[in-house]
Amino acid sequence: MGEFKVHRVRFFNYVPSGIRCVAYNNQSNRLAVSRTDGTVEIYNLSANYFQEKFFPGHESRATEALCWAKGQRLFSAGLNGEIIEYDLQALNIKYSMDAFGGPIWSMAASPSGSQLLIGCEDGSVKLFQINPDKIQFERNFDRQKSRILSLSWHPSGTHIAAGSIDYISVFDVNSGSTIHKMLVDRQYMGVSKRKCIIWGVAFLSDGTVISVDSAGKVQFWDSATGTLVKTHLVANADVQSIAVSDQEDSFVVGTAEGTVFHFQLVSVTSNSSEKQWVRTKPFQHHTHDVRTVAHSPTALISGGTDTHLVIRPLMEKVEVKNYDAALRKITFPHRRLISCSKKRQLLLFQFSHHLDLWRLGSTVATGKHGDTLPLSKDADHLLHLKTKGPENIICSCVSPCGSWIAYSTASRFFLCRLNYDRVHPKVSKMPAFLRSAVQILFSEDSTKLFVASNQGSLHIIRLLEGSFKHLHTFQAQSGTVESMCLLAVSPDGNWLAASGTSAGVHVYNVKRLKLHCTVPAYNFPVTALAIAPKTNNLVIAHSDQQIFEYSIPDKQYTEWSRTIQKQGFHYLWLQRDTPITHISFHPKRPMHILLHDAYMFCIIDKSLPLPNDKTLLYNPLPPTNESDVIRRRTAHAFKISKRYKPLLFMDLLDERTLVAVERPLDDIIAQLPPPIKKKKFGT
Amino acid sequence: MAALEEEFTLSAVPLGAGPDGLLGVEQCDKTDQFLITDGGRTVILYKVSDQKPLGSWSVKQGQVITCPAVCNFQTGEYIVVHDSKVLRLWTNEDVNLDKVFKATLSAEVYRILSIPGTEPLVLFKEGAVRGLEALLAEPQQKIETVISDEEVIKWTKFFMVFRHPALIFITEKHGNYFAYVQKFNSSVVSKYTLLLGQEEKSVIQSFTASLCRKFISLMSLSSDGCIYETLIPIHPSDPEKNQHQRVVRSLLLKTVVSGNARNALSVLDQDHVAVLGPSLPASKECLSIWNTKFQTLQISKELPQGTSGQLWYYGEHLFMLHGKILTVIPYKCEMSSLAGALGKLKHGQDPGTQTMPHFVNWETSQGLGSQNAEPSKRILRRRKIEASVQPEVPGSQQLLSTIKKDSEKHIEMELRKFLAIKRTPDFHTVIGDIVIGLLGRCKTEPSFYPRNSLMQLIQMHVLSYSLCPGLMEVALEKTDVQMLQLCLQQFPDIPEAVTCACLKMFLSIGDDSLQETDVNMESVSDYSDAVQEEQMEEQTGILQNGFNPEEDNCDNCDKELSEKPQNTIEETTSCPVIPKRAALLNAVLHSAYSETFLLPHLKDIPAQHITIMDWICLLLDANFTVVVMIPEAKSLLLSLYKFVKSQICICSELNKIEVSFRELQKLNQEKNNRELYSIEVLELF
């Protein structure tokens, strides 16, 4: 198969932001996740938990609350006092609106989804009407004396529960007046704390209010009488989040110790109708605070400071014990943060507010499999490019020649020219000509720049020595405003493929500046795209781990693609739980496709037979004393290496050189604040 | 706490008891019915709760009953043997014993044994045993001789051991005692020689036995007045070799009665025995209950007219001849618990039964039986009265109107009439209304205080604090300690504030005024004169907890714990309260309370009374220490200590391992991450 020199890069010190809120939408089976830097991500739980959309963060926009409303509209609110609605098609912010109540700590959509309730720093609870185009302030509820940290609607929509500091209020929605104030005991293990913060409330249809607080308690209240019914002390630290299932037969709480507790409504005795809430299962999938939890019909979802999104299926709710029943831990974004200049051997790392440009080192030595070669030249940090303003970088790209860097924030597109005459390259900024981009790509010869903007349009810009010229704009297909998140250009520069999240892949003829064809839409979103040299075959990877090869000139799937669809992929291949994020090709070996996900790197040799389920898919050991015959017989098309993980980027620099960018989880944990120390054993 | 209730007699007419007393008292298939066989010719069936005979049967003149009548629990028939060999079977319907079924046997019968759940057995004087059915099928069958010549059966008992009948009998020959155990699932007889130990010369006066897991615990009362225990295995390890095993008896209780008299012993439960005989200092005959675990006398009752030295115990009744009269003393033993001792546990009261005052045995002293049994007239007797004066009684409404205007005397009379009627379901609320009516008049009319009526109402055992709020307040106002004591004993729901107010009053009331009042002393009845008390004080002292937590070496623990604790407080703490006050304080201690609610009120107790409180605390501590120091607790504490220690060891080792693992992990990471950048060679296969 061949031997490669691999540049193993671990200096990409990327740290994902902690998760602040999760909101589950039952109708679309999608999960919205907001992070502490203001980023909002949308995961499609039906599509193998693929992160299909994201909204870039903003320094001043710390989200404290996230919720879905009627018609799958997504709202967030945060400490800047604004309510934001997201445009899930165009992938930008539809509008933001000041609630005039100071920082917003909590938000909840009414059970009907037509009203929005927010809890503010000044103790006010404000009700908004959700209109088709915007939200409109309706009225204030009785003002409380301190901030409203949590809100929950009664399923009938007539009452709400609001958690504040030291007490829980129950409001009548019609009158807006407080019916009950339920004081929470500040005592914690016999020690009186200064304050007891109600981090979360949940209002059940029988009138029970469940509260979780900073004293480690989960408490059940009777909202009709305003009395405490039951207390569970679950943690020595704060219980920070709660989520109840739609059936109200189970709920989940997350604690600052990283533990998630599952509570279930179970019969007191078998075949008795009397039921009570019982703490059934503890889960310890987090090392840090579990800031937020969600309860889908089949899984418990949790996220927190340790940046992992954990989806823990409830085994009793999973009908088929397939791979969906396994625990998912999502840490890295399902998109590329790294681009590479093959010619100059440069790597561009994208962070939330800056870009880093590194030049790889070199070696003259050779060795055999597994050897680490002595470096003749170490890697160089060439450039640290900081963005101005509070907005996060959405996307970035370095041109194959290494002379151009393009990146974009939500409000501005930047193009820079790099001059390598001196030790450190000189950056000259190009004047602004585009507002914002979702995806950026340079052609192989670095003469053209392709930019996918919001609203579905594609721009082609010609690059010359130090100047540029806008060539053409492909407008979005009529009627759609879906942004194109993925771009691929053929090495000869003639074809451009672009894909959104749901519709098919569009292939444009760059020479004639027109749409060539559209690859039929598939049920699962595209996770990576690439066009092979010479053959101009478009290789598409989907979130269900299927791979298609589509011949652009012939406008049809290739024979190999049909064969593999007919035979099916190896079951272990389909069971991988991270999407393929990058596809590339070998310049000299047209039969090879190189692709990787976070835990493996694979070269598909189309000339070899496909593996069936009985074949060993992944063989980490080199064949030793087997004869060539056996070797040839057992060899199959998928050559897999799991040596580098978590793998964020892998590409071929030249025929015999690979670059792999790893980000070990321990390095991320090392950069997080220390977790609450818990003794595993003893007292 | 073990307690004896008021005795009652079964027959007004003295039974024809011979010089040796009764032949026997045996259980019947119906509860509460007993067969009494006198020393001559008569068998009487008694219903004990009604104190009346249900039937009486006599053998002909010239015949003599030689073996007490028993009941066959499987058929309901009665069986008796007269003239040693003649067996008679009859039922309730039969009138004349002469005309009932008769079987003449070939050998002399020692005893017929019958217990529920199995066929009666016949034990012959020669030691052979037959089932009744087999014997009746062939009455003249040959009976073999089991025991040797001159060997005489002294005592026997029949048990069910894991659903198999087992029989033990004791024989005596020339002052040597032998025990025979026969099991009927294997029909093997095991013989044991009872070794008397150092007290070779003593004569055993009485035997009793109980089952104790795999052993029969045989207790014997010797002529030296001590009780000994012998453990006889039920399942001999090797039946072949077991023909002449020896069993040693060990001293269980020292000198409980003076010897040289007719004494009797009966085991009541695993910790209590009843002893009938003259008590040591007084040398008057009495019935005493001893706790074998704590080696303490629980209660004793004087029987001035003497006994026949026979004692039977069935269910909750002790039977004995007092003088010539068959006397029944109901006996009750509540499980003693620390919670009970600390007043946390309110003893459940059955509505039908009379409550017993449960006393704390502060010192192990011998006292007189309860004298002041005034409040408890037996229910059955009351029932009789109820039945007789049922009609023409004033309704509760009438009584309430009487309360409003009439004199105390008249109210008392009307109330007595009212209480005599049959109880209605809402009886307790009616009583509550009456009390409230009385209290209402008390408030408006300061001179009105119908003390007798109120006392009578409280003793109906249906009142609670919440049913008649204000009653205790009025009693507090009037400094009526007797009523307060009664309330504390009866009400299950007294608020802690009121309990504390009572305590304060009990502590502050002068000794002189207390002497004049009539306080129920039952709870401290064994609190005799001061001299004796002082002696006891010196004997027991106050035991400090002998357990030294600093001692970390567990290997020494066995030894250390088995040693008697040395730390005793030198100074003798004398009791600072007079008996009457002690009785009152005991009532407070026994009342139910919750610590959280009591503590705030306890702070209000004036400083001069703190000494008494401290003293009570010391006593409670001492009692707790005794509980901790009993032999059973010793091994439990020891194994607990060992277990906890091993748990701590495991946890600390696990923690060490965890830390080591973390360090290893760190090293491993460092090895893996030695560089942020490297160029490696990879070959794909």
Side-chain angles (χ1 to χ4, degrees), chain A residues 154-202:
Chain A
H154 187 268
S156 69
T158 54
H159 292 84
I160 59 157
S164 185
I165 292 168
D166 287 334
Y167 68 91
I168 302 157
S169 319
V170 177
F171 292 93
D172 181 85
V173 173
N174 288 329
S175 65
S177 55
T178 321
I179 300 170
H180 284 298
K181 262 189 185 180
M182 302 181 290
L183 285 177
V184 179
D185 192 4
R186 286 181 187 180
Q187 281 227 335
Y188 163 70
M189 313 266 290
V191 183
S192 202
K193 275 194 164 182
R194 260 180 52 233
K195 276 172 183 171
C196 182
I197 301 159
I198 316 300
W199 285 118
V201 286

Side-chain angles (χ1 to χ4, degrees), chain B residues 420-437:
Chain B
I421 55 164
K422 209 169 186 176
R423 289 185 179 195
T424 50
D426 61 344
F427 184 70
H428 61 286
T429 53
V430 173
I431 297 286
D433 288 343
I434 295 169
V435 176
I436 287 172

Side-chain angles (χ1 to χ4, degrees), chain A residues 6-20:
Chain A
V6 182
H7 292 262
R8 189 174 194 171
V9 174
R10 286 206 186 97
F11 47 71
F12 176 37
N13 49 0
Y14 164 78
V15 180
S17 293
I19 292 174
R20 180 61 193 88

Side-chain angles (χ1 to χ4, degrees), chain B residues 249-265:
Chain B
R249 58 181 202 165
S250 56
L251 184 64
L252 191 67
L253 274 175
K254 207 172 177 182
T255 332
V256 291
V257 286
S258 67
N260 311 320
R262 285 197 292 192
N263 300 328
L265 172 75

Side-chain angles (χ1 to χ4, degrees), chain B residues 362-505:
Chain B
W362 280 8
E363 286 98 24
T364 53
S365 71
Q366 293 152 294
L368 300 170
S370 59
Q371 308 238 312
N372 196 354
E374 194 263 322
S376 52
K377 288 275 170 262
R378 284 197 53 77
I379 256 177
L380 55 104
R381 232 176 269 167
R382 187 163 59 226
R383 255 191 222 139
K384 275 184 200 158
I385 302 164
E386 279 166 16
S388 61
V389 269
Q390 208 166 9
E392 18 110 49
V393 275
S396 60
Q397 291 307 318
Q398 207 179 325
L399 183 61
L400 282 172
S401 64
T402 311
I403 283 168
K404 284 197 183 115
K405 47 186 195 290
D406 285 1
S407 69
E408 282 182 33
K409 263 259 159 61
H410 188 237
I411 291 171
E412 211 172 308
M413 247 164 61
E414 290 297 311
L415 183 67
R416 207 164 290 157
K417 276 190 214 165
F418 174 76
L419 293 179
I421 55 164
K422 209 169 186 176
R423 289 185 179 195
T424 50
D426 61 344
F427 184 70
H428 61 286
T429 53
V430 173
I431 297 286
D433 288 343
I434 295 169
V435 176
I436 287 172
L438 287 169
L439 292 175
R441 193 165 161 199
C442 282
K443 272 179 196 144
T444 49
E445 224 177 290
S447 61
F448 179 80
Y449 187 54
R451 190 165 180 279
N452 292 340
S453 305
L454 285 172
M455 292 290 268
Q456 202 176 350
L457 285 166
I458 296 167
Q459 283 165 25
M460 297 307 293
H461 306 295
V462 292
L463 283 177
S464 63
Y465 183 87
S466 26
L467 259 181
C468 51
L471 175 62
M472 289 186 78
E473 280 78 359
V474 169
L476 278 166
E477 221 171 86
K478 304 270 180 194
T479 340
D480 190 343
V481 287
Q482 197 191 352
M483 191 184 295
L484 287 174
Q485 186 194 20
L486 205 55
C487 290
L488 282 167
Q489 284 169 354
Q490 301 283 339
F491 295 176
D493 56 345
I494 302 170
E496 278 75 359
V498 177
T499 312
C500 246
C502 292
L503 178 64
K504 234 189 281 182
M505 170 180 284

Side-chain angles (χ1 to χ4, degrees), chain B residues 596-640:
Chain B
T596 2
F597 298 118
L598 189 72
L599 282 177
H601 300 293
L602 275 180
K603 286 181 190 137
D604 302 337
I605 289 182
Q608 72 260 33
H609 302 318
I610 298 292
T611 332
I612 295 173
M613 294 305 290
D614 286 349
W615 187 80
I616 292 172
C617 292
L618 266 178
L619 270 178
L620 285 176
D621 279 354
N623 269 346
F624 178 72
T625 309
V626 169
V627 172
V628 172
M629 294 307 292
I630 59 172
E632 285 88 336
K634 209 184 285 174
S635 66
L636 178 73
L637 281 175
L638 193 68
S639 45
L640 247 175

